[in-house]
Each structure stands twice: as structure tokens, then as C-alpha cells.
Amino acid sequence: MNFDLKKALIGTAIVLPVMGLSISNADSIESLIINGSVNFRVAPSKDSTKIDKLQKGEKVEYLGESGNWYKVKYNGQTGYIYKTYASVSSTAEETNNLVKIVNCSSLNLRSGAGTNYSIIKTLSKGTQVTVLSTSGNWSKVSVNSTTGYVYSSYLSSVSSTADDQVENNTTNEDTNVKYYRYTSTTLNFRQNASTSSSVICKLPKNTKVGVVSVSSTGWAKVKYNGSFGYVSNSYLSETQVGLTAEKDSNYDSSTTKSQKIDKIISIAKSKLGCTYVRGSEGPNTFDCTGLTYYLYKQVGITIPRGTADQKNVGSYVSKSDLQPGDLVFLDTKGNDGIIDHASIYIGNNTIIHANSVAGKVCTSDLTTNYYKNAYVSARRVLD
């Protein structure tokens, strides 16, 4: 509906037939509920840039309409969504009691709606929760009879529908993923099959994508997170890459696990005070994963270099079972469970890490309030 016409009709009861949805008294609409996974775009066009992907059950502020598109506000940003995937929200109750799943590797369930509240437990990827209510960026949820709060962005609907087929008028080929591959390195996900094409996003190493087709020029059309784009086929692998700790030429099989751990801890302590330098992996300057990478190299074991890969190496270990030599991963920015920092456990609730805030390699106590809240997970390389 034309915006000026809408203003002229204020107070008049009208009915708008919108893709099977009737809206009475449209000028009084304050919010909409997303009823299927939909792209949030900067303009009312399938070709415009995607700001975000909104999931079923999320609530947006209604601002107006343009053809088959709603103009809405979400998380402080203004954009457009396709009308088919939104319904009028008359009360907050419409968002209640929705079953959703955790869509990140680990998510903190907190006692209140904010990162300053204590962590009740950490939910793993795929955990189902029941959304009881939403407030701002936070959802009050119930999981296994426990009630708490999580950051809403890290929840997805159990069965969301891809909107790309409607928006992009895609062919059958687009909806039929032929097989899956993993990225073997950080890889540009582009709009078209060309290095000059704009980058939609960067896919981290070991991202799983659905391959639709591969061209003779070496480009693969893939589906990722409900969107279609192109990557270089030469950087796709049948299996995940680099998630295991590999023994190198310096590995001594005659040395016991205990001796290797003692050596790692001894070297870690010798590096206390060394300067933090982003991208550095020793021997005298380090960043966080550069330090952990360096320490394991000293006993002949090569682990992945970046945080995104190190957080999956070895085997999971609970906080209560931590042993010296275990890798400890933290959320230092309060992103509610999104890992951004690596350290190594040396016993007695203490970690050694290359700390960018301190500007050096130092120790920290996991029992302090800050590190209790920042703690996300741990992995054991030496078993």
C-alpha cells in the first residue's frame, strides 16, 4: 500500500489481502511475527543486500509496506521482508511456547536477561528449548525443567523453510543439493562465480555446505545457511580437515603422557610475561591460539592454528574434570557462549594464556566471577 494513501485512511477499517493474509485496520499494526525463515534485506527486492536471516517466531516492528514486502525494524536496523513469511502480532503471547534449537556450538543459559547474570548451564548445539517469552534480544526458555535466559540470535526454529525459492524464483536445481562438502580453509562465499563478484560472507574452515553443481571453470554453486552462492571447488573437501592433533617429526613415542604434560606446563610458565602480538606463535611473542599451538609443537603435536578449529580438536572435557594440559576456551566479549579466546589449563583452577588486554602471557583464576562467566568449554588433546 502507498504510504501517503495509508495516512489518508487512518481510522478507516480496511482489509488487505496479502498472500493469503488479511490485515484489518493496518494502520494500527505495531509488530509482526515471522512465520518462516526469511531474508531481511536493505530494499524491497530479491536482488538487494541481505542484512540478516530472521527465524520463525522472531518479532519485528512494523513500519509499512511496499508491494509484496513489509518494511520492518529488527535489532535497531530497518529493512524489508517478503510478506509471505510474516503474520500480524496482536499480543506478545504469540511468541510463547515455541520449540527452538540452539544453532551455535555452545550457548550459556543464564539466570537473567543479560551477560552480567550467572550461567546456569551451557547448552550444546542442537539442544531443543521451549521459548516462554521474549524481551529485547533475550528469550526466556525452558529446557529439561530448567528455566533461564538465552540470547535470541542463537536460536533457530526446528523446521524453518527457506525463503530463497520464493524471493529468487529459483529452479528445481537450487532446491536439490546433490552432496555435501567441507571447506578446507577460510573461503569467500560469493554472489556469482567470479573473483570480482561481491563476497556474501567468509566461510570458516570445516564449514559444511550443500553442493548444487560444479562448473567447468572450477566454481561450485553451494547452499549455506539457506542462501545460495559460489565458492572455488578446489577448496572443498569430502571430510573435515585439521580437527585432529597430528604427530609431527619431533614426536617421541617413548615419552609418557604425563611427561609431555609436564613439559607443556613447564614451557608455558617460562613464557609468562612474553608480549601479546596478534598473529604471532612464538617463541617470544604470541596471540592466544599461537601460544597453545606453540606449546603442543614442543612435544611433537600439531594442533589447528585458529580458535574456530582448536575448539573442536581432541575430545570434550567437562569443567569439573579439567586436567593440566587441557585447552580451555572462553567468551571474553560477553557474546553469550561464542568462543573468541583459547588458553591452557595448568591445574588449581588456573590457566595460562596470551591475554590481549594485559598485553602479555599471564595466568588467570577460573574461580573469579569474570572467568566463571567467560568459561565456555574445554578439550583434551593428550588422552
Side-chain angles (χ1 to χ4, degrees):
M1 174 182 285
N2 182 277
F3 182 70
D4 293 332
L5 177 60
K6 286 182 64 183
K7 289 195 293 185
L9 293 175
I10 291 177
T12 304
I14 59 175
V15 176
L16 299 176
V18 181
M19 306 293 283
L21 171 68
S22 294
I23 303 177
S24 180
N25 229 356
D27 291 296
S28 65
I29 300 171
E30 295 183 356
S31 59
L32 301 169
I33 295 295
I34 304 302
N35 57 31
S37 179
V38 62
N39 287 329
F40 181 42
R41 298 185 182 276
V42 297
S45 168
K46 64 183 177 61
D47 298 319
S48 69
T49 302
K50 184 170 71 172
I51 302 171
D52 200 351
K53 197 171 189 74
L54 308 184
Q55 302 298 332
K56 182 177 180 180
E58 292 183 308
K59 190 175 183 179
V60 297
E61 181 182 349
Y62 172 85
L63 299 178
E65 300 166 37
S66 178
N68 290 326
W69 300 77
Y70 284 130
K71 184 178 182 181
V72 301
K73 190 173 184 179
Y74 176 76
N75 269 356
Q77 293 184 294
T78 298
Y80 294 81
I81 57 174
Y82 206 72
K83 285 182 177 178
T84 305
Y85 298 96
S87 305
V88 177
S89 169
S90 57
T91 67
E93 292 177 358
E94 295 183 51
T95 62
N96 292 353
N97 299 319
L98 291 170
V99 176
K100 292 194 173 186
I101 59 172
V102 175
N103 62 24
C104 59
S105 59
S106 59
L107 179 62
N108 289 332
L109 179 70
R110 295 183 180 271
S111 59
T115 55
N116 56 315
Y117 288 92
S118 61
I119 298 171
I120 300 171
K121 60 165 49 173
T122 299
L123 309 179
S124 59
K125 186 173 183 178
T127 299
Q128 289 196 4
V129 302
T130 300
V131 179
L132 304 176
S133 63
T134 58
S135 176
N137 293 326
W138 293 83
S139 293
K140 183 178 181 181
V141 302
S142 175
V143 53
N144 294 332
S145 300
T146 301
T147 300
Y149 295 81
V150 298
Y151 204 73
S152 301
S153 297
Y154 303 121
L155 297 178
S156 297
S157 58
V158 176
S159 56
S160 57
T161 55
D163 63 325
D164 293 271
Q165 188 169 4
V166 174
E167 286 191 23
N168 300 333
N169 193 26
T170 56
T171 64
N172 287 336
E173 179 194 39
D174 293 331
T175 59
N176 293 325
V177 170
K178 295 179 179 179
Y179 53 87
Y180 291 90
R181 288 289 186 269
Y182 294 92
T183 55
S184 59
T185 185
T186 301
L187 191 57
N188 287 330
F189 182 49
R190 298 183 180 273
Q191 288 186 344
N192 297 297
S194 168
T195 54
S196 60
S197 175
S198 59
V199 177
I200 301 171
C201 66
K202 287 185 178 291
L203 304 179
K205 184 178 178 180
N206 288 311
T207 299
K208 186 178 181 180
V209 297
V211 178
V212 175
S213 61
V214 178
S215 71
S216 59
T217 58
W219 288 90
K221 183 176 185 179
V222 301
K223 185 176 183 181
Y224 168 70
N225 198 26
S227 296
F228 294 93
Y230 294 82
V231 298
S232 176
N233 188 51
S234 60
Y235 295 106
L236 296 180
S237 170
E238 291 187 14
T239 57
Q240 291 179 299
V241 178
L243 294 184
T244 58
E246 300 175 357
K247 299 172 184 177
D248 59 33
S249 58
N250 295 320
Y251 184 81
D252 183 359
S253 59
S254 65
T255 306
T256 66
K257 171 186 171 180
S258 177
Q259 290 172 322
K260 289 183 176 69
I261 291 174
D262 287 345
K263 184 175 181 179
I264 288 172
I265 302 306
S266 175
I267 295 174
K269 290 179 178 179
S270 75
K271 299 302 178 182
L272 290 171
C274 285
T275 304
Y276 176 95
V277 176
R278 184 178 178 85
S280 181
E281 53 192 45
N284 299 311
T285 58
F286 303 90
D287 65 12
C288 67
T289 53
L291 176 63
T292 51
Y293 174 86
Y294 174 86
L295 293 173
Y296 271 96
K297 285 288 286 184
Q298 305 316 299
V299 294
I301 295 176
T302 301
I303 62 174
R305 176 63 174 86
T307 308
D309 293 334
Q310 283 193 9
K311 69 181 182 182
N312 294 312
V313 75
S315 58
Y316 171 80
V317 58
S318 66
K319 189 176 184 180
S320 60
D321 291 330
L322 282 174
Q323 295 178 7
D326 288 341
L327 298 173
V328 172
F329 298 96
L330 308 170
D331 167 16
T332 64
K333 297 178 181 177
N335 290 328
D336 209 48
I338 304 303
I339 292 170
D340 60 20
H341 190 64
S343 63
I344 195 153
Y345 187 69
I346 61 171
N348 296 320
N349 294 308
T350 304
I351 55 171
I352 286 182
H353 55 141
N355 188 335
S356 61
V357 176
K360 62 183 180 180
V361 177
C362 61
T363 60
S364 294
D365 186 347
L366 291 177
T367 65
T368 62
N369 286 335
Y370 175 81
Y371 284 100
K372 279 182 180 178
N373 290 332
Y375 183 94
V376 177
S377 67
R379 308 290 293 188
R380 182 161 298 154
V381 175
L382 284 166
D383 264 328

